[in-house]
Amino acid sequence: MKEKFNDSAVRDFLPIGGLIFVVVLFGVLTGGRIVQPANLKLLLSQTYMLVIASMGVFFIMSMGCLDFSQGSMLGVACIVVCYLSNINMVLAVLGGMVAGAAIGAINGFFHVKRKMPSFIVTNCNMYIFRGVVAYITTASPVYAISTISNLNTMPFMLSVTVIVLVVGFLIFHFTPFGANLRAIGAGEKAARFAGIDEQKTKFLVYVMAGVITGFAAFINAIKVGSVTSTGGNQLETQILIALVLRGMPISGGAKVRFTNIVIGVLLYKFLTTGLVMMGFTTATQQLIQGIVFLIFVFLFSDRKSIQVIK
């Protein structure tokens, strides 16, 4: 029992220690530039959308599934947000969330009803909706109303992000839905025998993740103001790396921690920003990120209870 406790404590501390180490390391290597107020504010402004979008994937991964369609989903939802922002801002927010929910429902349908593995379904939809984004933006980018940039202030963006995280935290820890997700991740058959409707839960979590990503698209539109053919490109990879850097078990279950989201995103952003500030080429940055990612997967993969991704 003591050994398990110590192992759990080490697993929980390592990502936090890793974040501190990365901040201190790049603080020294960049001559303190990365921790200057202006650079910290810029770095923080790049985390809002990623934190919110990561929360949707976090819920999905909690039950041992994956979602690789988040980038293209955000691109489609952001197109809807930009179009509708020229009519009404509230309508734009709702439209983005509905668009995300619709794509999430497609993911959930094929995964739950057609019994297709989650990584196959979402990979296919990633390419399908990436094509949709490219087709719509071929002639020119889709622009949001110019006044949407007025919302791009630190108080507004930070407040909205905190509210979304608090709501997600309460759902995950204090509702039967959150408990069901962890139970399915720990063991789908056992969850079924315990009376959990795993098919309904799976479908709903994909829809919910879509809604969250649709809202993240609104945050992205505030910051960027338009959508191009590369809108949301590589977002799913960034989310997966960020969550795993915090120690997110890929098979889900009881070892999932809500702090995976914030600490993982901050660790990822400090790492990538530090590499950029040091002047590394894109290829070298990707090489270093891949090595770090592999190390964290090795440290946090539970090889005793690992299972096939659902």
Side-chain angles (χ1 to χ4, degrees), residues 57-131:
V57 179
F58 168 82
F59 281 113
I60 291 173
M61 290 181 66
S62 296
M63 61 178 186
C65 296
L66 293 173
D67 189 349
F68 293 111
S69 66
Q70 290 294 311
S72 54
M73 182 189 298
L74 182 128
V76 171
C78 202
I79 288 174
V80 174
V81 169
C82 289
Y83 270 130
L84 294 180
S85 67
N86 292 281
I87 301 174
N88 181 273
M89 197 65 70
V90 175
L91 185 62
V93 177
L94 294 176
M97 294 168 71
V98 169
I103 298 175
I106 294 173
N107 288 334
F109 172 79
F110 282 101
H111 174 53
V112 175
K113 298 298 183 181
R114 309 310 302 174
K115 306 298 181 183
M116 294 176 64
S118 60
F119 64 91
I120 293 179
V121 173
T122 56
N123 254 310
C124 291
N125 282 332
M126 174 184 69
Y127 287 107
I128 291 172
F129 291 105
R130 173 61 54 206

Side-chain angles (χ1 to χ4, degrees), residues 19 36 52 67 70 84 94 98 105 110 116-118 123 133 144 155 192 199 206 209 235 241 253 258 266 268 272 277:
L19 175 60
Q36 290 177 352
I52 294 174
D67 189 349
Q70 290 294 311
L84 294 180
L94 294 176
V98 169
F110 282 101
M116 294 176 64
S118 60
N123 254 310
V133 173
R192 190 181 305 122
Q199 291 195 354
Y206 272 102
L235 176 64
I241 293 176
F258 196 82
L266 287 176
Y268 173 76
T272 55
M277 293 182 70

Side-chain angles (χ1 to χ4, degrees), residues 135-172:
Y135 178 79
I136 294 176
T137 59
T138 296
S140 68
V142 178
Y143 294 96
I145 191 170
S146 59
T147 54
I148 198 171
S149 61
N150 295 337
L151 298 175
N152 190 18
T153 64
M154 185 174 179
F156 177 80
M157 300 287 266
L158 183 60
S159 298
V160 168
T161 303
V162 170
I163 290 172
V164 171
L165 285 173
V166 169
V167 172
F169 177 83
L170 295 175
I171 291 174
F172 187 71

